[in-house]
Amino acid sequence: MNLENYLQSKGAEVAPFDPLRAKRIYAKLKPHLRLPAHIIHILGTNGKGSTGRFLALGLLQNQKSVLHFTSPHLFSFNERFYRNGANVDFPTLERAHEFLQKFDFVSESSYFEYATFLALTLAQDYEFLVLEAGLGGEFDSTSALDSDLSFFTPIGLDHKEFLGDNIESVAGSKLRAMGKNVILAKQEFPQSVEIAKTIAIESGAKLFCLSTMRDEKEFIENLRAFDELFKKQDSFCANSICTPTPEQVFESLKAYCARNEYAPFLEQNLFGALFALKFFGLDFDFSTLKKLDLRARCEKIEPNILLDVGHNVECAKALKVAIEKFFKGKKPILVYNTYFDKDASTIIKLLKPCISEVAIFRIEGNPRIMPLGDLEKILDELEVSFRYFDFADLDSADLCGERCYVVFGSFSVAEGFLKQRDSRQTLESKRF
């Protein structure tokens, strides 16, 4: 059975919960693998994909071989496996699948667990594997491996049906997956920091908590504390002839983000990746660093269209800041839809002051999408004007920037929007 059919046989990405299944399979598979020299485990709720991709780009810039395993995908399964600067092609994926099929015990794995084992197969003999957790933490298949560094992005209230309905439960589950060296990004909830500190003490882990880095002074304070904890040589020494000063690094990072029109949360994710890279004694060169090539992460696909994937309230808060930055007082139309188990009411209530109306984006054939009647009811209760989105609305006036749009919601929304947009552009090009 080829890979595509095999994955279809696995059914839903989230399989019935078995906390020991992945560890049991990995223990049997490990003797047959040539594991990467270094594993960086990315966990958290928001920003895992962009943080991991920034790290992969930085490692590539330092001539390191690296595979970045991320999920979910927008268009095609192979997007989950980014190896040395490009998505792995399907013949290579098939060969990895054929390798795993030698072992009967692997058939027990779920869809996501099998994807994890494919990543391990594809990363054999590589110097680095940047391994992104799925929705979980301590029981996630990626947590079966020992990592050199655990990096936790901001932890928020999401996947409550699996992880619990309060931040203490969610953060506890995720943070108990920490290894011996840990970087914790700036957190929305102070409880996450306290839980991390407790778990680190209990497990004997070295934990570094990043604080805000709004200016050079705060950046330098983080650097000094980081070097002290991990006993790293201060590579940002102001007296060095060949190494840029901390001030120069800060300014070059800010310039790179401005040049690529990154939202503030992406800038913070890049700061986090900088510290993760520094853990291995490596640095970014922001003058030549490639632009983030992970789609739909607060991406400006047109001067007046911002595209972002996000499920929870913390994502909506970050998006609100991005709207204020990019549209400077204008109120965009929110093109929106989401999964039925997400807190759409709180999200729309939060975004209401900075949008003009909601254009509901129809998604057909996805059982996870919120019923249209439920979404309409929420919008009515919040007294938010709405209509259904039609690509015909994107006329020449829109492309001149007279109206602006924010496309936001589930991965299915981003996928559907981009596919329809590309299809329309292809048809238009054939007409002329």
Side-chain angles (χ1 to χ4, degrees), residues 98-264:
E98 290 169 5
F99 170 80
L100 289 178
Q101 290 301 296
K102 297 176 183 178
F103 310 103
D104 292 341
F105 54 83
V106 177
S107 64
E108 186 186 359
S109 60
S110 69
Y111 181 109
F112 182 80
E113 289 164 355
Y114 195 74
T116 303
F117 299 135
L118 282 171
L120 299 185
T121 304
L122 292 165
Q124 291 188 92
D125 296 325
Y126 270 52
E127 293 172 274
F128 283 87
L129 170 60
V130 179
L131 195 63
E132 179 185 322
L135 63 87
E138 59 186 324
F139 302 122
D140 194 87
S141 58
T142 59
S143 299
L145 285 79
D146 293 325
S147 61
D148 297 87
L149 178 67
S150 302
F151 189 103
F152 288 91
T153 66
I155 298 171
L157 280 169
D158 205 356
H159 302 296
K160 292 187 284 187
E161 68 277 21
F162 297 100
L163 303 176
D165 60 1
N166 57 72
I167 191 61
E168 289 81 5
S169 175
V170 174
S173 178
K174 290 180 181 290
L175 289 163
R176 279 191 288 272
M178 69 171 60
K180 293 302 181 184
N181 299 295
V182 186
I183 299 176
L184 183 71
K186 182 75 170 62
Q187 297 294 306
E188 174 79 15
F189 297 95
Q191 300 98 308
S192 298
V193 179
E194 295 308 313
I195 292 169
K197 290 178 178 178
T198 299
I199 293 173
I201 291 171
E202 292 172 350
S203 63
K206 289 184 177 180
L207 169 67
F208 181 74
C209 300
L210 287 167
S211 61
T212 54
M213 285 174 279
R214 293 164 295 193
D215 55 35
E216 293 173 356
K217 181 176 180 294
E218 291 177 338
F219 176 58
I220 293 171
E221 287 172 354
N222 275 274
L223 284 173
R224 301 304 185 202
F226 180 88
D227 285 339
E228 176 62 27
L229 176 65
F230 290 114
K231 306 301 180 186
K232 302 287 183 182
Q233 182 179 356
D234 189 352
S235 59
F236 293 112
C237 176
N239 296 322
S240 172
I241 296 174
C242 59
T243 303
T245 66
E247 293 82 2
Q248 290 171 329
V249 173
F250 182 86
E251 289 303 321
S252 62
L253 184 151
K254 297 284 283 188
Y256 167 79
C257 291
R259 192 164 60 246
N260 290 296
E261 296 187 284
Y262 289 155

Side-chain angles (χ1 to χ4, degrees), residues 198-402:
T198 299
I199 293 173
I201 291 171
E202 292 172 350
S203 63
K206 289 184 177 180
L207 169 67
F208 181 74
C209 300
L210 287 167
S211 61
T212 54
M213 285 174 279
R214 293 164 295 193
D215 55 35
E216 293 173 356
K217 181 176 180 294
E218 291 177 338
F219 176 58
I220 293 171
E221 287 172 354
N222 275 274
L223 284 173
R224 301 304 185 202
F226 180 88
D227 285 339
E228 176 62 27
L229 176 65
F230 290 114
K231 306 301 180 186
K232 302 287 183 182
Q233 182 179 356
D234 189 352
S235 59
F236 293 112
C237 176
N239 296 322
S240 172
I241 296 174
C242 59
T243 303
T245 66
E247 293 82 2
Q248 290 171 329
V249 173
F250 182 86
E251 289 303 321
S252 62
L253 184 151
K254 297 284 283 188
Y256 167 79
C257 291
R259 192 164 60 246
N260 290 296
E261 296 187 284
Y262 289 155
F265 76 87
L266 286 176
E267 181 179 285
Q268 290 304 305
N269 293 348
L270 180 55
F271 269 117
L274 181 151
F275 279 83
L277 205 60
K278 180 174 168 55
F279 177 84
F280 295 95
L282 304 171
D283 299 322
F284 284 103
D285 178 355
F286 293 110
S287 66
T288 61
L289 183 63
K290 182 179 175 182
K291 184 178 180 179
L292 184 70
D293 54 2
L294 199 62
R295 298 301 309 271
R297 269 59 173 192
C298 222
E299 176 187 4
K300 288 190 77 174
I301 58 175
E302 297 286 354
N304 63 325
I305 303 177
L306 189 66
L307 174 66
D308 191 28
V309 291
H311 296 296
N312 54 43
V313 175
E314 288 73 39
C315 288
K317 289 178 180 177
L319 178 63
K320 187 176 181 181
V321 175
I323 289 172
E324 293 167 352
K325 173 182 177 179
F326 289 128
F327 297 123
K328 301 186 186 306
K330 286 186 178 180
K331 289 191 172 185
I333 297 167
L334 176 65
V335 182
Y336 181 74
N337 209 330
T338 192
Y339 297 139
F340 66 82
D341 56 346
K342 305 305 177 183
D343 191 359
S345 180
T346 303
I347 288 170
I348 294 170
K349 185 177 181 180
L350 178 67
L351 294 175
K352 179 181 176 180
C354 61
I355 62 172
S356 59
E357 63 175 334
V358 169
I360 299 173
F361 189 83
R362 290 183 181 88
I363 297 173
E364 306 294 339
N366 189 331
R368 291 188 64 195
I369 287 295
M370 180 176 289
L372 295 176
D374 292 355
L375 187 51
E376 288 182 3
K377 182 179 178 182
I378 289 170
L379 293 164
D380 278 332
E381 290 175 349
L382 293 173
E383 298 181 340
V384 174
S385 174
F386 70 90
R387 56 184 170 84
Y388 281 85
F389 180 75
D390 187 336
F391 263 92
D393 295 338
L394 291 175
D395 56 19
S396 58
D398 286 326
L399 295 179
C400 292
E402 293 181 16

